[in-house]
Amino acid sequence: MGGQSNPFGSGLARAHSSYAARRDGKLLHVLNPERPLSPLTESIHEKFRAFVLDPAFPCIGARAAVNMNCYRFGIYPEMNTQAATAGLAHDLWEFVHERPTFGIDYTTFVAAFVKPAVADEREWERMLWAQLQSLHELDREHFGWDATVSSDPEDRGFSFSLAEQSFFVVGLHPGSSRRARRFAYPTLVFNPHDQFERLRARGKFERMQQTIRARDLSLQGSLNPNLSNFGELSEARQYSGRAVEPEWRCPFRAHPRVSDDRKS
């Protein structure tokens, strides 16, 4: 999009691309509207919309993105396989380049996976970080880290980066102890970090955050113990949704861009 060629455009990536949008009430493949989407993709997409648009769902930002169709959706094969990683990297790049045309600060990319079935929070945490690590290994072939955030997951300024765009990642799976994170399929929701900064600059972020936390308290009966404001603790502690221990250390490691690595 925007005249640029997708650097994650291998044959494997294109074969497993699933970059879809909802238009006129129908889900379609953005890059090739004539290409049919599988019934499973359409089914999981409808389940996700119902999940977010449930009146009890706490995240009003996600509800806004879905209501205004300012999100993109992809369904991928088994999590952290070469095929899933290639297709997801391809589609995240497309999202990064299409997003400026949306015109609002509530945008998100939703990546759902057909497999595996997940029931254990620690296993989910391991899979989530393994998938992000694999994405990063592909990304560093072409891009450096978003310079506005830290690449160190122990740093309070950390945020995940792909195509030099930072993301706050929200993990959903059927075994989550948090009802707001309990979805039928393993799913990663990529929320662009810069939109939070724009909301904060306009004085809207804190009010939205308070509303979400109040709604989450009403839904769950307790606040997520991992919650913190950006800049207090590393947001990596929040990605999986598990209540991580104070001494928890993130298994993810960022590496320099490959071209920079070769110079050193």
Side-chain angles (χ1 to χ4, degrees), residues 214-251:
R215 290 170 61 87
D216 192 38
L217 178 61
S218 177
L219 175 67
Q220 185 80 27
S222 64
L223 283 176
N224 188 331
N226 284 332
L227 290 181
S228 63
N229 297 322
F230 182 70
E232 292 178 353
L233 295 171
S234 171
E235 68 180 41
R237 302 176 69 86
Q238 301 181 46
Y239 282 13
S240 77
R242 185 177 76 84
V244 299
E245 302 78 12
E247 67 276 11
W248 179 80
R249 292 294 178 266
C250 181

Side-chain angles (χ1 to χ4, degrees), residues 9 23 28 37 51 61 64 70 78 96 116 129 140 168 171 174 176 181 191 200 235 237 247 261:
R23 292 176 180 163
L28 57 81
L37 293 165
F51 174 72
C70 286
E78 185 167 359
V96 167
W129 286 109
R140 65 187 287 259
F168 179 85
S176 178
R181 300 283 194 111
N191 300 297
R200 184 177 282 109
E235 68 180 41
R237 302 176 69 86
E247 67 276 11
D261 219 11

Side-chain angles (χ1 to χ4, degrees), residues 61-62 64-65 68 70 99 102-108 191-200 202 204-205 208:
M68 291 185 280
C70 286
R99 188 172 70 95
F102 292 2
I104 68 165
D105 284 326
Y106 301 101
T107 66
T108 194
N191 300 297
H193 204 280
D194 55 9
Q195 64 192 14
F196 299 141
E197 296 306 314
R198 287 196 292 271
L199 288 167
R200 184 177 282 109
R202 296 203 296 268
K204 294 183 176 181
F205 182 79
M208 183 180 78

